PDB file of all heavy atoms in Angstrom:
ATOM      1  N   GLU A  12      15.268 136.667  -8.831  1.00  0.00           N
ATOM      2  CA  GLU A  12      14.080 135.857  -9.079  1.00  0.00           C
ATOM      3  C   GLU A  12      13.115 135.889  -7.889  1.00  0.00           C
ATOM      4  O   GLU A  12      11.894 135.963  -8.056  1.00  0.00           O
ATOM      5  CB  GLU A  12      14.499 134.416  -9.369  1.00  0.00           C
ATOM      6  CG  GLU A  12      15.253 134.249 -10.685  1.00  0.00           C
ATOM      7  CD  GLU A  12      15.685 132.814 -10.900  1.00  0.00           C
ATOM      8  OE1 GLU A  12      15.381 131.966 -10.035  1.00  0.00           O
ATOM      9  OE2 GLU A  12      16.343 132.537 -11.930  1.00  0.00           O
ATOM     10  N   MET A  13      13.666 135.861  -6.685  1.00  0.00           N
ATOM     11  CA  MET A  13      12.821 135.907  -5.491  1.00  0.00           C
ATOM     12  C   MET A  13      12.108 137.246  -5.371  1.00  0.00           C
ATOM     13  O   MET A  13      10.933 137.315  -4.990  1.00  0.00           O
ATOM     14  CB  MET A  13      13.669 135.639  -4.245  1.00  0.00           C
ATOM     15  CG  MET A  13      14.237 134.221  -4.159  1.00  0.00           C
ATOM     16  SD  MET A  13      15.323 134.026  -2.745  1.00  0.00           S
ATOM     17  CE  MET A  13      15.704 132.279  -2.847  1.00  0.00           C
ATOM     18  N   LEU A  14      12.815 138.331  -5.676  1.00  0.00           N
ATOM     19  CA  LEU A  14      12.208 139.657  -5.561  1.00  0.00           C
ATOM     20  C   LEU A  14      11.164 139.912  -6.647  1.00  0.00           C
ATOM     21  O   LEU A  14      10.381 140.860  -6.537  1.00  0.00           O
ATOM     22  CB  LEU A  14      13.308 140.724  -5.635  1.00  0.00           C
ATOM     23  CG  LEU A  14      14.273 140.761  -4.430  1.00  0.00           C
ATOM     24  CD1 LEU A  14      15.391 141.757  -4.685  1.00  0.00           C
ATOM     25  CD2 LEU A  14      13.523 141.109  -3.150  1.00  0.00           C
ATOM     26  N   ALA A  15      11.158 139.089  -7.678  1.00  0.00           N
ATOM     27  CA  ALA A  15      10.183 139.268  -8.763  1.00  0.00           C
ATOM     28  C   ALA A  15       8.843 138.616  -8.439  1.00  0.00           C
ATOM     29  O   ALA A  15       7.991 138.482  -9.316  1.00  0.00           O
ATOM     30  CB  ALA A  15      10.750 138.686 -10.058  1.00  0.00           C
ATOM     31  N   HIS A  16       8.655 138.214  -7.202  1.00  0.00           N
ATOM     32  CA  HIS A  16       7.398 137.576  -6.799  1.00  0.00           C
ATOM     33  C   HIS A  16       6.239 138.573  -6.901  1.00  0.00           C
ATOM     34  O   HIS A  16       6.422 139.782  -6.815  1.00  0.00           O
ATOM     35  CB  HIS A  16       7.528 137.056  -5.357  1.00  0.00           C
ATOM     36  CG  HIS A  16       6.553 135.975  -5.025  1.00  0.00           C
ATOM     37  ND1 HIS A  16       5.282 136.236  -4.598  1.00  0.00           N
ATOM     38  CD2 HIS A  16       6.669 134.627  -5.080  1.00  0.00           C
ATOM     39  CE1 HIS A  16       4.649 135.094  -4.370  1.00  0.00           C
ATOM     40  NE2 HIS A  16       5.475 134.100  -4.658  1.00  0.00           N
ATOM     41  N   ASP A  17       5.040 138.030  -7.095  1.00  0.00           N
ATOM     42  CA  ASP A  17       3.863 138.885  -7.302  1.00  0.00           C
ATOM     43  C   ASP A  17       3.564 139.768  -6.096  1.00  0.00           C
ATOM     44  O   ASP A  17       3.140 140.909  -6.237  1.00  0.00           O
ATOM     45  CB  ASP A  17       2.633 138.010  -7.624  1.00  0.00           C
ATOM     46  CG  ASP A  17       2.791 137.319  -8.973  1.00  0.00           C
ATOM     47  OD1 ASP A  17       3.581 137.819  -9.797  1.00  0.00           O
ATOM     48  OD2 ASP A  17       2.136 136.285  -9.185  1.00  0.00           O
ATOM     49  N   SER A  18       3.752 139.259  -4.894  1.00  0.00           N
ATOM     50  CA  SER A  18       3.419 140.033  -3.697  1.00  0.00           C
ATOM     51  C   SER A  18       4.651 140.217  -2.831  1.00  0.00           C
ATOM     52  O   SER A  18       5.603 139.429  -2.896  1.00  0.00           O
ATOM     53  CB  SER A  18       2.327 139.318  -2.881  1.00  0.00           C
ATOM     54  OG  SER A  18       2.819 138.079  -2.380  1.00  0.00           O
ATOM     55  N   LEU A  19       4.611 141.279  -1.999  1.00  0.00           N
ATOM     56  CA  LEU A  19       5.734 141.554  -1.112  1.00  0.00           C
ATOM     57  C   LEU A  19       5.906 140.440  -0.097  1.00  0.00           C
ATOM     58  O   LEU A  19       7.023 139.996   0.177  1.00  0.00           O
ATOM     59  CB  LEU A  19       5.516 142.893  -0.409  1.00  0.00           C
ATOM     60  CG  LEU A  19       6.595 143.300   0.602  1.00  0.00           C
ATOM     61  CD1 LEU A  19       7.934 143.420  -0.097  1.00  0.00           C
ATOM     62  CD2 LEU A  19       6.208 144.615   1.274  1.00  0.00           C
ATOM     63  N   SER A  20       4.801 139.971   0.462  1.00  0.00           N
ATOM     64  CA  SER A  20       4.901 138.907   1.468  1.00  0.00           C
ATOM     65  C   SER A  20       5.453 137.628   0.853  1.00  0.00           C
ATOM     66  O   SER A  20       6.238 136.908   1.480  1.00  0.00           O
ATOM     67  CB  SER A  20       3.527 138.636   2.095  1.00  0.00           C
ATOM     68  OG  SER A  20       2.591 138.245   1.087  1.00  0.00           O
ATOM     69  N   GLY A  21       5.057 137.355  -0.385  1.00  0.00           N
ATOM     70  CA  GLY A  21       5.584 136.160  -1.056  1.00  0.00           C
ATOM     71  C   GLY A  21       7.072 136.265  -1.290  1.00  0.00           C
ATOM     72  O   GLY A  21       7.817 135.291  -1.142  1.00  0.00           O
ATOM     73  N   ALA A  22       7.526 137.485  -1.667  1.00  0.00           N
ATOM     74  CA  ALA A  22       8.962 137.680  -1.878  1.00  0.00           C
ATOM     75  C   ALA A  22       9.737 137.502  -0.587  1.00  0.00           C
ATOM     76  O   ALA A  22      10.808 136.885  -0.565  1.00  0.00           O
ATOM     77  CB  ALA A  22       9.208 139.073  -2.461  1.00  0.00           C
ATOM     78  N   VAL A  23       9.166 138.024   0.539  1.00  0.00           N
ATOM     79  CA  VAL A  23       9.835 137.877   1.830  1.00  0.00           C
ATOM     80  C   VAL A  23       9.932 136.414   2.220  1.00  0.00           C
ATOM     81  O   VAL A  23      10.968 135.932   2.699  1.00  0.00           O
ATOM     82  CB  VAL A  23       9.097 138.688   2.908  1.00  0.00           C
ATOM     83  CG1 VAL A  23       9.663 138.374   4.288  1.00  0.00           C
ATOM     84  CG2 VAL A  23       9.197 140.181   2.608  1.00  0.00           C
ATOM     85  N   ASP A  24       8.834 135.671   2.021  1.00  0.00           N
ATOM     86  CA  ASP A  24       8.854 134.249   2.354  1.00  0.00           C
ATOM     87  C   ASP A  24       9.914 133.510   1.543  1.00  0.00           C
ATOM     88  O   ASP A  24      10.633 132.646   2.062  1.00  0.00           O
ATOM     89  CB  ASP A  24       7.473 133.627   2.098  1.00  0.00           C
ATOM     90  CG  ASP A  24       6.419 134.140   3.073  1.00  0.00           C
ATOM     91  OD1 ASP A  24       6.823 134.652   4.150  1.00  0.00           O
ATOM     92  OD2 ASP A  24       5.218 134.058   2.767  1.00  0.00           O
ATOM     93  N   LYS A  25       9.997 133.847   0.259  1.00  0.00           N
ATOM     94  CA  LYS A  25      10.992 133.194  -0.594  1.00  0.00           C
ATOM     95  C   LYS A  25      12.424 133.522  -0.135  1.00  0.00           C
ATOM     96  O   LYS A  25      13.306 132.667  -0.115  1.00  0.00           O
ATOM     97  CB  LYS A  25      10.809 133.642  -2.040  1.00  0.00           C
ATOM     98  CG  LYS A  25       9.622 132.989  -2.751  1.00  0.00           C
ATOM     99  CD  LYS A  25       9.947 131.535  -3.049  1.00  0.00           C
ATOM    100  CE  LYS A  25       8.821 130.892  -3.864  1.00  0.00           C
ATOM    101  NZ  LYS A  25       9.110 129.457  -4.141  1.00  0.00           N
ATOM    102  N   LEU A  26      12.626 134.787   0.254  1.00  0.00           N
ATOM    103  CA  LEU A  26      13.950 135.199   0.721  1.00  0.00           C
ATOM    104  C   LEU A  26      14.345 134.452   1.991  1.00  0.00           C
ATOM    105  O   LEU A  26      15.459 133.954   2.112  1.00  0.00           O
ATOM    106  CB  LEU A  26      13.981 136.704   0.955  1.00  0.00           C
ATOM    107  CG  LEU A  26      13.999 137.600  -0.293  1.00  0.00           C
ATOM    108  CD1 LEU A  26      13.810 139.052   0.119  1.00  0.00           C
ATOM    109  CD2 LEU A  26      15.301 137.425  -1.046  1.00  0.00           C
ATOM    110  N   LEU A  27      13.420 134.392   2.938  1.00  0.00           N
ATOM    111  CA  LEU A  27      13.710 133.715   4.195  1.00  0.00           C
ATOM    112  C   LEU A  27      13.924 132.220   3.981  1.00  0.00           C
ATOM    113  O   LEU A  27      14.811 131.607   4.574  1.00  0.00           O
ATOM    114  CB  LEU A  27      12.564 133.945   5.189  1.00  0.00           C
ATOM    115  CG  LEU A  27      12.381 135.399   5.649  1.00  0.00           C
ATOM    116  CD1 LEU A  27      11.161 135.522   6.549  1.00  0.00           C
ATOM    117  CD2 LEU A  27      13.637 135.888   6.382  1.00  0.00           C
ATOM    118  N   GLU A  28      13.129 131.649   3.078  1.00  0.00           N
ATOM    119  CA  GLU A  28      13.272 130.229   2.782  1.00  0.00           C
ATOM    120  C   GLU A  28      14.629 129.962   2.118  1.00  0.00           C
ATOM    121  O   GLU A  28      15.348 129.028   2.474  1.00  0.00           O
ATOM    122  CB  GLU A  28      12.142 129.777   1.865  1.00  0.00           C
ATOM    123  CG  GLU A  28      12.246 128.298   1.459  1.00  0.00           C
ATOM    124  CD  GLU A  28      11.150 127.922   0.464  1.00  0.00           C
ATOM    125  OE1 GLU A  28      10.260 128.744   0.215  1.00  0.00           O
ATOM    126  OE2 GLU A  28      11.222 126.796  -0.048  1.00  0.00           O
ATOM    127  N   GLY A  29      14.948 130.826   1.167  1.00  0.00           N
ATOM    128  CA  GLY A  29      16.228 130.641   0.478  1.00  0.00           C
ATOM    129  C   GLY A  29      17.407 130.827   1.403  1.00  0.00           C
ATOM    130  O   GLY A  29      18.392 130.095   1.338  1.00  0.00           O
ATOM    131  N   ALA A  30      17.302 131.803   2.309  1.00  0.00           N
ATOM    132  CA  ALA A  30      18.405 132.045   3.234  1.00  0.00           C
ATOM    133  C   ALA A  30      18.597 130.870   4.170  1.00  0.00           C
ATOM    134  O   ALA A  30      19.721 130.452   4.445  1.00  0.00           O
ATOM    135  CB  ALA A  30      18.142 133.323   4.031  1.00  0.00           C
ATOM    136  N   SER A  31      17.500 130.293   4.665  1.00  0.00           N
ATOM    137  CA  SER A  31      17.620 129.194   5.611  1.00  0.00           C
ATOM    138  C   SER A  31      18.152 127.942   4.926  1.00  0.00           C
ATOM    139  O   SER A  31      18.984 127.228   5.472  1.00  0.00           O
ATOM    140  CB  SER A  31      16.259 128.902   6.256  1.00  0.00           C
ATOM    141  OG  SER A  31      15.308 128.524   5.256  1.00  0.00           O
ATOM    142  N   VAL A  32      17.685 127.683   3.697  1.00  0.00           N
ATOM    143  CA  VAL A  32      18.156 126.490   2.993  1.00  0.00           C
ATOM    144  C   VAL A  32      19.625 126.613   2.647  1.00  0.00           C
ATOM    145  O   VAL A  32      20.421 125.692   2.829  1.00  0.00           O
ATOM    146  CB  VAL A  32      17.312 126.262   1.711  1.00  0.00           C
ATOM    147  CG1 VAL A  32      17.925 125.160   0.848  1.00  0.00           C
ATOM    148  CG2 VAL A  32      15.874 125.914   2.072  1.00  0.00           C
ATOM    149  N   THR A  33      20.011 127.803   2.164  1.00  0.00           N
ATOM    150  CA  THR A  33      21.397 127.995   1.757  1.00  0.00           C
ATOM    151  C   THR A  33      22.342 127.891   2.939  1.00  0.00           C
ATOM    152  O   THR A  33      23.417 127.303   2.851  1.00  0.00           O
ATOM    153  CB  THR A  33      21.565 129.368   1.079  1.00  0.00           C
ATOM    154  OG1 THR A  33      20.640 129.463   0.007  1.00  0.00           O
ATOM    155  CG2 THR A  33      22.976 129.538   0.548  1.00  0.00           C
ATOM    156  N   SER A  34      21.954 128.451   4.074  1.00  0.00           N
ATOM    157  CA  SER A  34      22.837 128.445   5.226  1.00  0.00           C
ATOM    158  C   SER A  34      22.918 127.089   5.885  1.00  0.00           C
ATOM    159  O   SER A  34      23.880 126.795   6.577  1.00  0.00           O
ATOM    160  CB  SER A  34      22.373 129.490   6.243  1.00  0.00           C
ATOM    161  OG  SER A  34      21.057 129.181   6.680  1.00  0.00           O
ATOM    162  N   SER A  35      21.905 126.215   5.688  1.00  0.00           N
ATOM    163  CA  SER A  35      21.878 124.928   6.362  1.00  0.00           C
ATOM    164  C   SER A  35      22.622 123.853   5.588  1.00  0.00           C
ATOM    165  O   SER A  35      22.918 122.797   6.135  1.00  0.00           O
ATOM    166  CB  SER A  35      20.427 124.482   6.587  1.00  0.00           C
ATOM    167  OG  SER A  35      19.769 124.290   5.340  1.00  0.00           O
ATOM    168  N   LEU A  36      22.935 124.091   4.308  1.00  0.00           N
ATOM    169  CA  LEU A  36      23.595 123.087   3.486  1.00  0.00           C
ATOM    170  C   LEU A  36      25.011 123.539   3.158  1.00  0.00           C
ATOM    171  O   LEU A  36      25.227 124.684   2.775  1.00  0.00           O
ATOM    172  CB  LEU A  36      22.820 122.860   2.183  1.00  0.00           C
ATOM    173  CG  LEU A  36      21.389 122.323   2.322  1.00  0.00           C
ATOM    174  CD1 LEU A  36      20.755 122.182   0.949  1.00  0.00           C
ATOM    175  CD2 LEU A  36      21.376 120.981   3.055  1.00  0.00           C
TER     176      LEU A  36
END
Side-chain angles (χ1 to χ4, degrees):
E12 292 178 1
M13 293 175 176
L14 292 174
H16 202 275
D17 293 338
S18 65
L19 178 61
S20 59
V23 172
D24 292 340
K25 284 287 185 181
L26 287 171
L27 294 176
E28 178 184 353
S31 61
V32 171
T33 305
S34 61
S35 63
L36 298 179

